[in-house]
Amino acid sequence: MDLEEFSTGQRNKPLSVSYYQETPSYSQISPPNENVISDRWRPWWERYQPISYKLCTRSGNETEFRDMVTRCNNVGVYIYVDAVINHMCGTNAGAGNHGACGSYFNAKTENFPAVPYSVWDFNDGKCKSRSGDIEDYHDIPQVRDCRLSGLLDLALEKDYVRSKVAEYMNHLIDIGVAGFRIDAAKHMWPQDVKAILDKLKDLNTQWFSAGTRPFIYQEVIDLGGEPITGSDYFGNGRVTEFKYGAKLGTVIRKWSGEKMAYLKNWGEGWGFVPSDRALVFVDNHDNQRGHGAGGASILTFWDARLYKMAVGFMLAHPYGFTRVMSSFRWPRYFVDGQDVNDWVGPPSNSDGSTKSVTINADTTCGNDWVCEHRWRQIRNMVVFRNVVDGQAFSNWWDNGSNQVAFGRGNKGFIVFNNDDWAMDVNLQTGLPAGTYCDVISGDKEDNRCTGSQVYVSGDGMANFQISNHAEDPFMAIHVNAKL
């Protein structure tokens, strides 16, 4: 689960939580270290402009961060930190004490005494572009040694810089975090990333088995056509597969002649990285705003009906390690096709403080927090994924168009109708005989279904009727939802 804000094994193997079914087994949080305060409006992207490694942001201070990590770990929800280690703040951030903790910095002279970093700890001398920024994404040294959008690029080949970064990450490990998303990994040399990861401690044995390594996944935008690829980083951990959300959005939207029937070989067959290297998602904090990678095909909570189908498909399908988005709403305003409010930060009070997440009677969120992970359809598909874990992809069916179904061994089965006509089919589910609750239209409560029921006969067959006008034109059943 990718949380836009936090509030009050092996390195390459994700930690599992046995049947902690109502909650994802991990939560990715926004960068927790001190960032520049760009202006009084506090745009969301300021979290990606560090000025120190102190744990202090608008989400809370170190005491509050420790409390959150402890409480989450104690109920089996592990914290993955979004680690911004490629750079510090932008060159235009000025000088002063306008950081989240009040630490002094001077972006012009590249002086960050709260770390400390000085001008000698940045890549200015290595960058060969005229502007000092990345100008040519086909020039590998430029992509990795020059400034990304004006952000001061750290000299990660220096052991001092590597050690300061590792010191920050090890502090988080001591507190109890379970892993890291490595922001902007594409803009660092893979061997520099490896050198930092090699300095990391094993996870805290208060919550994790001795010798357990942090789970690592790296942000590498690789849509093809550039010399830097996701495979360059496989030795360090998983990589973000941005093609996943872009392609799935195109299919669910039925753009460019795509059909759900074509998803039969979804995964590596679509040119994605190997499943055991992939971190997959329908959308993230960048591309749901039109930033980053994916383009207009990306589905988000604004497209709720289609979005729930896409997330349902992702969570049912065995490919990759899945991440569900948890967003906040912002006042979109389009001018010439561009959302001019795409910078807006989290729901805030008049004094700039972040609004609390309120919980509605139906367990969804209020106060403009979207909390997609709490939507019944998505929450129940997280349970589905836990139940079918380790089961083979099976019993594929399609109508040659946009009605498809597939199972996961003898544990679960899911059916979609994304066509413009009603669906009424008998399908082989592979499930034991019995009456099942459809976990999309409702829940199983006290041995009854609050939504639709599905009857599986002794031979595994079941009838599925899904209107093309349904609020959610898909159904899912699993053995833990059997009456």
Side-chain angles (χ1 to χ4, degrees):
M1 178 172 64
D2 183 358
L3 289 170
E4 291 200 282
E5 298 280 333
F6 74 82
S7 55
T8 78
Q10 299 293 320
R11 174 188 295 164
N12 300 331
K13 182 179 179 182
L15 294 160
S16 62
V17 178
S18 297
Y19 283 22
Y20 196 83
Q21 294 183 338
E22 293 299 323
T23 307
S25 59
Y26 74 95
S27 290
Q28 175 190 309
I29 63 164
S30 298
N33 58 306
E34 184 179 17
N35 55 265
V36 66
I37 297 177
S38 58
D39 58 49
R40 70 186 187 92
W41 301 110
R42 309 295 299 274
W44 66 267
W45 46 256
E46 73 175 27
R47 297 291 287 269
Y48 292 85
Q49 296 209 21
I51 61 168
S52 83
Y53 296 133
K54 296 177 182 178
L55 301 182
C56 177
T57 67
R58 64 178 164 216
S59 295
N61 58 30
E62 179 165 340
T63 299
E64 291 166 321
F65 180 80
R66 285 178 177 273
D67 178 65
M68 179 198 68
V69 173
T70 297
R71 287 186 291 113
C72 288
N73 282 346
N74 287 344
V75 294
V77 180
Y78 300 145
I79 301 299
Y80 295 163
V81 166
D82 198 346
V84 183
I85 62 175
N86 170 69
H87 56 263
M88 299 301 280
C89 66
T91 54
N92 61 352
N97 300 94
H98 52 289
C101 298
S103 297
Y104 175 81
F105 70 97
N106 187 324
K108 185 175 182 180
T109 62
E110 301 179 4
N111 182 29
F112 297 87
V115 178
Y117 287 141
S118 71
V119 67
W120 305 108
D121 299 316
F122 293 89
N123 271 332
D124 301 336
K126 291 181 67 178
C127 175
K128 304 303 181 186
S129 74
R130 294 184 63 182
S131 66
D133 286 357
I134 300 168
E135 299 171 354
D136 180 4
Y137 272 81
H138 292 275
D139 183 333
I140 293 177
Q142 190 176 126
V143 174
R144 290 173 172 160
D145 293 334
C146 297
R147 297 170 178 169
L148 170 63
S149 302
L151 297 165
L152 294 169
D153 199 66
L154 285 166
L156 293 172
E157 80 281 1
K158 293 183 62 174
D159 189 65
Y160 172 77
V161 177
R162 293 173 177 176
S163 295
K164 297 307 291 185
V165 170
E167 179 183 283
Y168 161 59
M169 296 172 76
N170 278 329
H171 181 47
L172 293 168
I173 289 172
D174 287 341
I175 289 171
V177 308
F180 300 93
R181 171 192 182 264
I182 308 298
D183 179 68
K186 176 179 180 176
H187 301 285
M188 296 177 271
W189 294 92
Q191 63 269 27
D192 291 340
V193 177
K194 180 181 186 301
I196 292 167
L197 298 180
D198 286 346
K199 292 177 179 288
L200 298 188
K201 300 177 179 180
D202 294 340
L203 298 186
N204 189 321
T205 55
Q206 181 176 346
W207 295 285
F208 307 104
S209 301
T212 304
R213 299 295 294 160
F215 177 52
I216 302 296
Y217 52 108
Q218 304 155 96
E219 185 200 20
V220 182
I221 298 177
D222 174 14
L223 298 177
E226 294 179 10
I228 295 177
T229 66
S231 61
D232 296 344
Y233 296 83
F234 287 173
N236 296 330
R238 290 184 182 249
V239 297
T240 50
E241 180 49 279
F242 277 88
K243 293 189 291 291
Y244 189 102
K247 296 282 190 180
L248 187 58
T250 300
V251 173
I252 299 294
R253 292 182 186 276
K254 297 185 283 191
W255 288 357
S256 304
E258 294 287 6
K259 302 175 181 179
M260 289 192 76
Y262 300 157
L263 297 174
K264 184 175 183 178
N265 67 336
W266 183 247
E268 292 93 342
W270 281 62
F272 302 160
V273 302
S275 180
D276 65 353
R277 298 292 87 188
L279 187 288
V280 300
F281 45 94
V282 174
D283 64 329
N284 79 343
H285 65 278
D286 273 320
N287 62 20
Q288 71 171 196
R289 292 169 169 80
H291 299 190
S297 70
I298 295 297
L299 289 166
T300 74
F301 69 87
W302 298 105
D303 319 290
R305 188 172 186 263
L306 298 180
Y307 184 72
K308 287 179 282 186
M309 293 178 66
V311 175
F313 183 91
M314 176 184 75
L315 291 171
H317 197 279
Y319 175 82
F321 186 58
T322 56
R323 183 180 63 190
V324 172
M325 188 65 191
S326 187
S327 310
F328 57 78
R329 193 171 283 102
W330 70 93
R332 292 199 301 178
Y333 184 69
F334 288 92
V335 176
D336 296 329
Q338 174 67 39
D339 179 11
V340 297
N341 285 341
D342 61 2
W343 57 269
V344 173
S348 300
N349 300 305
S350 57
D351 64 356
S353 61
T354 302
K355 287 185 177 180
S356 297
V357 179
T358 56
I359 305 300
N360 301 321
D362 63 356
T363 76
T364 60
C365 296
N367 256 357
D368 279 334
W369 297 96
V370 181
C371 300
E372 297 94 321
H373 66 288
R374 282 180 167 267
W375 294 2
R376 181 192 66 247
Q377 302 86 342
I378 293 176
R379 179 193 71 218
N380 285 349
M381 283 308 300
V382 170
V383 177
F384 181 104
R385 189 169 189 84
N386 287 340
V387 171
V388 304
D389 184 43
Q391 296 290 307
F393 179 77
S394 59
N395 291 308
W396 173 270
W397 172 88
D398 67 71
N399 70 340
S401 184
N402 289 289
Q403 296 177 4
V404 304
F406 63 90
R408 294 293 302 277
N410 61 355
K411 297 287 189 180
F413 194 74
I414 192 166
V415 187
F416 296 87
N417 178 15
N418 200 28
D419 272 327
D420 296 326
W421 57 88
M423 177 183 193
D424 185 350
V425 293
N426 296 310
L427 299 174
Q428 175 55 248
T429 67
L431 270 57
T435 301
Y436 293 78
C437 298
D438 166 37
V439 299
I440 303 304
S441 59
D443 299 291
K444 176 187 173 184
E445 292 182 358
D446 301 323
N447 208 37
R448 67 181 183 89
C449 301
T450 65
S452 301
Q453 295 183 353
V454 176
Y455 304 94
V456 176
S457 61
D459 61 357
M461 297 294 291
N463 176 258
F464 293 90
Q465 298 180 23
I466 304 176
S467 168
N468 55 303
H469 300 297
E471 176 188 355
D472 297 306
F474 65 113
M475 302 178 74
I477 56 177
H478 59 75
V479 292
N480 285 17
K482 182 172 178 283
L483 298 181

